[in-house]
mmCIF file of all heavy atoms in Angstrom:
data_model
loop_
_atom_site.group_PDB
_atom_site.id
_atom_site.type_symbol
_atom_site.label_atom_id
_atom_site.label_comp_id
_atom_site.label_asym_id
_atom_site.label_seq_id
_atom_site.Cartn_x
_atom_site.Cartn_y
_atom_site.Cartn_z
ATOM 1 N N PRO A 224 -17.818 1.265 -36.682
ATOM 2 C CA PRO A 224 -18.063 0.235 -35.529
ATOM 3 C C PRO A 224 -19.309 -0.490 -35.789
ATOM 4 O O PRO A 224 -19.496 -1.714 -35.459
ATOM 5 C CB PRO A 224 -18.031 1.182 -34.291
ATOM 6 C CG PRO A 224 -17.186 2.300 -34.765
ATOM 7 C CD PRO A 224 -17.457 2.515 -36.109
ATOM 8 N N GLN A 225 -20.435 0.227 -36.152
ATOM 9 C CA GLN A 225 -21.750 -0.487 -36.298
ATOM 10 C C GLN A 225 -21.675 -1.564 -37.307
ATOM 11 O O GLN A 225 -22.273 -2.687 -37.114
ATOM 12 C CB GLN A 225 -22.845 0.488 -36.697
ATOM 13 C CG GLN A 225 -24.192 -0.100 -36.611
ATOM 14 C CD GLN A 225 -24.509 -0.688 -35.217
ATOM 15 O OE1 GLN A 225 -24.242 -0.152 -34.122
ATOM 16 N NE2 GLN A 225 -25.104 -1.911 -35.296
ATOM 17 N N LYS A 226 -20.934 -1.424 -38.354
ATOM 18 C CA LYS A 226 -20.732 -2.441 -39.412
ATOM 19 C C LYS A 226 -19.992 -3.669 -38.858
ATOM 20 O O LYS A 226 -20.330 -4.813 -39.047
ATOM 21 C CB LYS A 226 -19.955 -1.828 -40.665
ATOM 22 C CG LYS A 226 -19.680 -2.812 -41.723
ATOM 23 C CD LYS A 226 -20.867 -3.257 -42.472
ATOM 24 C CE LYS A 226 -20.598 -4.179 -43.649
ATOM 25 N NZ LYS A 226 -21.836 -4.837 -44.145
ATOM 26 N N LEU A 227 -19.003 -3.380 -38.018
ATOM 27 C CA LEU A 227 -18.222 -4.445 -37.378
ATOM 28 C C LEU A 227 -19.089 -5.239 -36.428
ATOM 29 O O LEU A 227 -19.091 -6.500 -36.364
ATOM 30 C CB LEU A 227 -17.068 -3.926 -36.658
ATOM 31 C CG LEU A 227 -15.908 -3.414 -37.435
ATOM 32 C CD1 LEU A 227 -14.942 -2.682 -36.665
ATOM 33 C CD2 LEU A 227 -15.353 -4.337 -38.353
ATOM 34 N N ILE A 228 -19.970 -4.552 -35.706
ATOM 35 C CA ILE A 228 -20.970 -5.232 -34.775
ATOM 36 C C ILE A 228 -21.962 -6.015 -35.605
ATOM 37 O O ILE A 228 -22.176 -7.253 -35.199
ATOM 38 C CB ILE A 228 -21.648 -4.176 -33.959
ATOM 39 C CG1 ILE A 228 -20.628 -3.563 -32.815
ATOM 40 C CG2 ILE A 228 -22.845 -4.748 -33.197
ATOM 41 C CD1 ILE A 228 -21.117 -2.377 -32.264
ATOM 42 N N THR A 229 -22.395 -5.486 -36.706
ATOM 43 C CA THR A 229 -23.390 -6.319 -37.517
ATOM 44 C C THR A 229 -22.662 -7.552 -38.026
ATOM 45 O O THR A 229 -23.209 -8.611 -37.985
ATOM 46 C CB THR A 229 -23.872 -5.461 -38.645
ATOM 47 O OG1 THR A 229 -24.602 -4.278 -38.110
ATOM 48 C CG2 THR A 229 -24.803 -6.182 -39.628
ATOM 49 N N MET A 230 -21.514 -7.411 -38.514
ATOM 50 C CA MET A 230 -20.816 -8.578 -39.073
ATOM 51 C C MET A 230 -20.482 -9.572 -37.983
ATOM 52 O O MET A 230 -20.665 -10.729 -38.196
ATOM 53 C CB MET A 230 -19.446 -8.102 -39.654
ATOM 54 C CG MET A 230 -19.658 -7.297 -40.956
ATOM 55 S SD MET A 230 -18.184 -6.505 -41.589
ATOM 56 C CE MET A 230 -16.968 -7.787 -41.672
ATOM 57 N N ALA A 231 -20.048 -9.153 -36.746
ATOM 58 C CA ALA A 231 -19.847 -10.127 -35.673
ATOM 59 C C ALA A 231 -21.122 -10.800 -35.245
ATOM 60 O O ALA A 231 -21.076 -12.010 -34.969
ATOM 61 C CB ALA A 231 -19.265 -9.276 -34.474
ATOM 62 N N ASN A 232 -22.197 -10.089 -35.280
ATOM 63 C CA ASN A 232 -23.456 -10.680 -34.951
ATOM 64 C C ASN A 232 -23.910 -11.763 -36.043
ATOM 65 O O ASN A 232 -24.508 -12.722 -35.624
ATOM 66 C CB ASN A 232 -24.598 -9.597 -34.713
ATOM 67 C CG ASN A 232 -24.498 -9.005 -33.342
ATOM 68 O OD1 ASN A 232 -23.982 -9.565 -32.396
ATOM 69 N ND2 ASN A 232 -24.943 -7.745 -33.204
ATOM 70 N N GLN A 233 -23.595 -11.490 -37.271
ATOM 71 C CA GLN A 233 -23.861 -12.473 -38.334
ATOM 72 C C GLN A 233 -23.099 -13.703 -38.154
ATOM 73 O O GLN A 233 -23.701 -14.854 -38.278
ATOM 74 C CB GLN A 233 -23.649 -11.947 -39.603
ATOM 75 C CG GLN A 233 -24.615 -10.796 -40.006
ATOM 76 C CD GLN A 233 -24.256 -10.003 -41.222
ATOM 77 O OE1 GLN A 233 -23.066 -9.989 -41.669
ATOM 78 N NE2 GLN A 233 -25.254 -9.429 -41.895
ATOM 79 N N ILE A 234 -21.855 -13.518 -37.653
ATOM 80 C CA ILE A 234 -21.006 -14.711 -37.422
ATOM 81 C C ILE A 234 -21.513 -15.480 -36.225
ATOM 82 O O ILE A 234 -21.616 -16.763 -36.240
ATOM 83 C CB ILE A 234 -19.529 -14.278 -37.183
ATOM 84 C CG1 ILE A 234 -18.922 -13.660 -38.378
ATOM 85 C CG2 ILE A 234 -18.675 -15.429 -36.575
ATOM 86 C CD1 ILE A 234 -17.709 -12.899 -38.096
ATOM 87 N N GLY A 235 -21.883 -14.815 -35.186
ATOM 88 C CA GLY A 235 -22.539 -15.391 -33.944
ATOM 89 C C GLY A 235 -23.886 -16.067 -34.356
ATOM 90 O O GLY A 235 -24.068 -17.262 -33.876
ATOM 91 N N ALA A 236 -24.688 -15.584 -35.266
ATOM 92 C CA ALA A 236 -25.930 -16.128 -35.641
ATOM 93 C C ALA A 236 -25.630 -17.546 -36.281
ATOM 94 O O ALA A 236 -26.371 -18.561 -36.088
ATOM 95 C CB ALA A 236 -26.705 -15.295 -36.516
ATOM 96 N N PHE A 237 -24.609 -17.562 -37.130
ATOM 97 C CA PHE A 237 -24.162 -18.883 -37.815
ATOM 98 C C PHE A 237 -23.830 -19.844 -36.780
ATOM 99 O O PHE A 237 -24.276 -21.123 -36.837
ATOM 100 C CB PHE A 237 -23.084 -18.574 -38.764
ATOM 101 C CG PHE A 237 -22.484 -19.897 -39.423
ATOM 102 C CD1 PHE A 237 -23.156 -20.482 -40.428
ATOM 103 C CD2 PHE A 237 -21.296 -20.471 -38.978
ATOM 104 C CE1 PHE A 237 -22.663 -21.627 -41.115
ATOM 105 C CE2 PHE A 237 -20.857 -21.609 -39.500
ATOM 106 C CZ PHE A 237 -21.475 -22.232 -40.501
ATOM 107 N N PHE A 238 -22.973 -19.565 -35.805
ATOM 108 C CA PHE A 238 -22.460 -20.477 -34.819
ATOM 109 C C PHE A 238 -23.513 -20.907 -33.725
ATOM 110 O O PHE A 238 -23.203 -21.755 -33.032
ATOM 111 C CB PHE A 238 -21.121 -19.975 -34.228
ATOM 112 C CG PHE A 238 -19.970 -20.188 -35.162
ATOM 113 C CD1 PHE A 238 -19.434 -19.137 -35.968
ATOM 114 C CD2 PHE A 238 -19.445 -21.476 -35.374
ATOM 115 C CE1 PHE A 238 -18.423 -19.366 -36.704
ATOM 116 C CE2 PHE A 238 -18.286 -21.607 -36.209
ATOM 117 C CZ PHE A 238 -17.836 -20.584 -36.934
ATOM 118 N N GLU A 239 -24.598 -20.151 -33.680
ATOM 119 C CA GLU A 239 -25.620 -20.494 -32.672
ATOM 120 C C GLU A 239 -26.213 -21.858 -32.965
ATOM 121 O O GLU A 239 -26.832 -22.499 -32.011
ATOM 122 C CB GLU A 239 -26.698 -19.469 -32.560
ATOM 123 C CG GLU A 239 -26.234 -18.212 -31.943
ATOM 124 C CD GLU A 239 -27.249 -17.040 -31.994
ATOM 125 O OE1 GLU A 239 -28.259 -17.171 -32.684
ATOM 126 O OE2 GLU A 239 -27.019 -16.067 -31.395
ATOM 127 N N ALA A 240 -26.123 -22.397 -34.117
ATOM 128 C CA ALA A 240 -26.529 -23.764 -34.599
ATOM 129 C C ALA A 240 -25.721 -24.837 -33.912
ATOM 130 O O ALA A 240 -26.201 -25.990 -33.759
ATOM 131 C CB ALA A 240 -26.598 -23.921 -35.960
ATOM 132 N N GLU A 241 -24.511 -24.501 -33.452
ATOM 133 C CA GLU A 241 -23.619 -25.506 -32.771
ATOM 134 C C GLU A 241 -24.233 -25.775 -31.360
ATOM 135 O O GLU A 241 -24.417 -24.816 -30.622
ATOM 136 C CB GLU A 241 -22.244 -24.953 -32.624
ATOM 137 C CG GLU A 241 -21.251 -25.629 -31.743
ATOM 138 C CD GLU A 241 -20.940 -27.072 -32.204
ATOM 139 O OE1 GLU A 241 -20.686 -27.232 -33.430
ATOM 140 O OE2 GLU A 241 -21.217 -28.043 -31.424
ATOM 141 N N PRO A 242 -24.516 -27.068 -31.032
ATOM 142 C CA PRO A 242 -25.096 -27.360 -29.744
ATOM 143 C C PRO A 242 -24.148 -27.270 -28.561
ATOM 144 O O PRO A 242 -24.546 -27.120 -27.456
ATOM 145 C CB PRO A 242 -25.588 -28.804 -29.953
ATOM 146 C CG PRO A 242 -24.837 -29.360 -31.116
ATOM 147 C CD PRO A 242 -24.386 -28.168 -32.044
ATOM 148 N N ASP A 243 -22.867 -27.431 -28.776
ATOM 149 C CA ASP A 243 -21.939 -27.291 -27.605
ATOM 150 C C ASP A 243 -21.484 -25.792 -27.550
ATOM 151 O O ASP A 243 -20.780 -25.239 -28.392
ATOM 152 C CB ASP A 243 -20.696 -28.037 -28.027
ATOM 153 C CG ASP A 243 -19.554 -28.059 -27.013
ATOM 154 O OD1 ASP A 243 -19.623 -27.215 -26.041
ATOM 155 O OD2 ASP A 243 -18.687 -28.856 -27.045
ATOM 156 N N PRO A 244 -21.821 -25.162 -26.404
ATOM 157 C CA PRO A 244 -21.563 -23.709 -26.236
ATOM 158 C C PRO A 244 -20.110 -23.294 -26.389
ATOM 159 O O PRO A 244 -19.680 -22.294 -26.937
ATOM 160 C CB PRO A 244 -22.097 -23.431 -24.937
ATOM 161 C CG PRO A 244 -23.043 -24.379 -24.574
ATOM 162 C CD PRO A 244 -22.647 -25.648 -25.313
ATOM 163 N N GLU A 245 -19.151 -24.263 -25.881
ATOM 164 C CA GLU A 245 -17.780 -23.878 -25.816
ATOM 165 C C GLU A 245 -17.297 -24.006 -27.299
ATOM 166 O O GLU A 245 -16.459 -23.119 -27.743
ATOM 167 C CB GLU A 245 -17.043 -24.782 -25.021
ATOM 168 C CG GLU A 245 -17.246 -24.578 -23.498
ATOM 169 C CD GLU A 245 -16.386 -25.512 -22.592
ATOM 170 O OE1 GLU A 245 -15.547 -26.180 -23.181
ATOM 171 O OE2 GLU A 245 -16.739 -25.475 -21.407
ATOM 172 N N ARG A 246 -17.796 -24.958 -28.060
ATOM 173 C CA ARG A 246 -17.329 -25.036 -29.467
ATOM 174 C C ARG A 246 -17.833 -23.884 -30.295
ATOM 175 O O ARG A 246 -17.191 -23.309 -31.180
ATOM 176 C CB ARG A 246 -17.812 -26.280 -30.047
ATOM 177 C CG ARG A 246 -16.852 -27.503 -29.659
ATOM 178 C CD ARG A 246 -17.372 -28.785 -30.188
ATOM 179 N NE ARG A 246 -17.155 -28.605 -31.747
ATOM 180 C CZ ARG A 246 -17.111 -29.622 -32.472
ATOM 181 N NH1 ARG A 246 -17.232 -30.961 -32.090
ATOM 182 N NH2 ARG A 246 -17.027 -29.507 -33.845
ATOM 183 N N ALA A 247 -19.054 -23.429 -29.943
ATOM 184 C CA ALA A 247 -19.713 -22.222 -30.642
ATOM 185 C C ALA A 247 -18.810 -21.065 -30.220
ATOM 186 O O ALA A 247 -18.573 -20.223 -31.329
ATOM 187 C CB ALA A 247 -21.139 -22.162 -30.222
ATOM 188 N N GLN A 248 -18.506 -20.797 -29.048
ATOM 189 C CA GLN A 248 -17.619 -19.617 -28.746
ATOM 190 C C GLN A 248 -16.330 -19.690 -29.488
ATOM 191 O O GLN A 248 -15.827 -18.639 -29.996
ATOM 192 C CB GLN A 248 -17.430 -19.590 -27.217
ATOM 193 C CG GLN A 248 -18.692 -19.363 -26.507
ATOM 194 C CD GLN A 248 -18.409 -19.452 -24.948
ATOM 195 O OE1 GLN A 248 -17.309 -19.504 -24.486
ATOM 196 N NE2 GLN A 248 -19.525 -19.467 -24.195
ATOM 197 N N ALA A 249 -15.700 -20.871 -29.453
ATOM 198 C CA ALA A 249 -14.408 -21.000 -30.118
ATOM 199 C C ALA A 249 -14.563 -20.798 -31.624
ATOM 200 O O ALA A 249 -13.653 -20.198 -32.271
ATOM 201 C CB ALA A 249 -13.814 -22.406 -29.816
ATOM 202 N N GLY A 250 -15.681 -21.356 -32.159
ATOM 203 C CA GLY A 250 -15.901 -20.948 -33.648
ATOM 204 C C GLY A 250 -15.987 -19.574 -33.940
ATOM 205 O O GLY A 250 -15.338 -19.088 -34.966
ATOM 206 N N VAL A 251 -16.731 -18.752 -33.153
ATOM 207 C CA VAL A 251 -16.881 -17.276 -33.374
ATOM 208 C C VAL A 251 -15.410 -16.674 -33.308
ATOM 209 O O VAL A 251 -14.948 -15.960 -34.157
ATOM 210 C CB VAL A 251 -17.772 -16.724 -32.353
ATOM 211 C CG1 VAL A 251 -17.703 -15.156 -32.485
ATOM 212 C CG2 VAL A 251 -19.194 -17.203 -32.681
ATOM 213 N N ALA A 252 -14.747 -16.997 -32.147
ATOM 214 C CA ALA A 252 -13.406 -16.359 -31.981
ATOM 215 C C ALA A 252 -12.399 -16.765 -33.103
ATOM 216 O O ALA A 252 -11.649 -15.930 -33.587
ATOM 217 C CB ALA A 252 -12.906 -16.797 -30.641
ATOM 218 N N ASP A 253 -12.506 -18.035 -33.489
ATOM 219 C CA ASP A 253 -11.579 -18.501 -34.539
ATOM 220 C C ASP A 253 -11.901 -17.787 -35.808
ATOM 221 O O ASP A 253 -10.977 -17.365 -36.639
ATOM 222 C CB ASP A 253 -11.706 -20.025 -34.625
ATOM 223 C CG ASP A 253 -10.627 -20.497 -35.649
ATOM 224 O OD1 ASP A 253 -9.419 -20.254 -35.511
ATOM 225 O OD2 ASP A 253 -11.002 -21.263 -36.560
ATOM 226 N N HIS A 254 -13.100 -17.601 -36.124
ATOM 227 C CA HIS A 254 -13.494 -16.943 -37.263
ATOM 228 C C HIS A 254 -12.916 -15.437 -37.297
ATOM 229 O O HIS A 254 -12.471 -14.982 -38.299
ATOM 230 C CB HIS A 254 -14.993 -16.877 -37.635
ATOM 231 C CG HIS A 254 -15.461 -16.304 -38.849
ATOM 232 N ND1 HIS A 254 -15.523 -17.065 -40.013
ATOM 233 C CD2 HIS A 254 -15.614 -15.009 -39.215
ATOM 234 C CE1 HIS A 254 -15.964 -16.170 -41.064
ATOM 235 N NE2 HIS A 254 -15.895 -14.969 -40.521
ATOM 236 N N LEU A 255 -13.158 -14.760 -36.203
ATOM 237 C CA LEU A 255 -12.722 -13.378 -36.094
ATOM 238 C C LEU A 255 -11.194 -13.263 -36.170
ATOM 239 O O LEU A 255 -10.650 -12.508 -36.891
ATOM 240 C CB LEU A 255 -13.202 -12.752 -34.756
ATOM 241 C CG LEU A 255 -14.660 -12.611 -34.615
ATOM 242 C CD1 LEU A 255 -15.060 -12.171 -33.193
ATOM 243 C CD2 LEU A 255 -15.203 -11.588 -35.598
ATOM 244 N N ARG A 256 -10.511 -14.235 -35.556
ATOM 245 C CA ARG A 256 -9.023 -14.124 -35.605
ATOM 246 C C ARG A 256 -8.461 -14.552 -36.981
ATOM 247 O O ARG A 256 -7.607 -13.855 -37.440
ATOM 248 C CB ARG A 256 -8.473 -15.183 -34.600
ATOM 249 C CG ARG A 256 -7.026 -15.147 -34.449
ATOM 250 C CD ARG A 256 -6.490 -16.177 -33.422
ATOM 251 N NE ARG A 256 -6.847 -17.468 -33.756
ATOM 252 C CZ ARG A 256 -6.237 -18.177 -34.629
ATOM 253 N NH1 ARG A 256 -5.209 -17.737 -35.330
ATOM 254 N NH2 ARG A 256 -6.573 -19.401 -34.900
ATOM 255 N N ARG A 257 -9.081 -15.518 -37.649
ATOM 256 C CA ARG A 257 -8.530 -15.911 -38.962
ATOM 257 C C ARG A 257 -8.935 -15.062 -40.134
ATOM 258 O O ARG A 257 -8.141 -14.871 -41.018
ATOM 259 C CB ARG A 257 -8.962 -17.396 -39.144
ATOM 260 C CG ARG A 257 -8.344 -18.367 -38.241
ATOM 261 C CD ARG A 257 -8.810 -19.753 -38.418
ATOM 262 N NE ARG A 257 -8.472 -20.200 -39.799
ATOM 263 C CZ ARG A 257 -9.115 -21.146 -40.479
ATOM 264 N NH1 ARG A 257 -10.089 -21.791 -39.972
ATOM 265 N NH2 ARG A 257 -8.661 -21.529 -41.598
#
């Protein structure tokens, strides 16, 4: 689980550069799903 959390946080860090919060959230979710 800790590895999954680390990976999810890395994805989140990437999408934090997106200025639109909804698009950033969708980007994280889409990456996890795909």
Side-chain angles (χ1 to χ4, degrees):
Q225 189 56 45
K226 178 68 175 167
L227 295 173
I228 290 167
T229 298
M230 291 168 52
N232 281 333
Q233 290 171 337
I234 294 163
F237 175 82
F238 283 100
E239 284 173 356
E241 169 60 54
D243 180 347
E245 288 181 12
R246 285 182 60 161
Q248 291 172 19
V251 170
D253 187 53
H254 184 95
L255 294 174
R256 188 182 56 79
R257 292 178 63 207

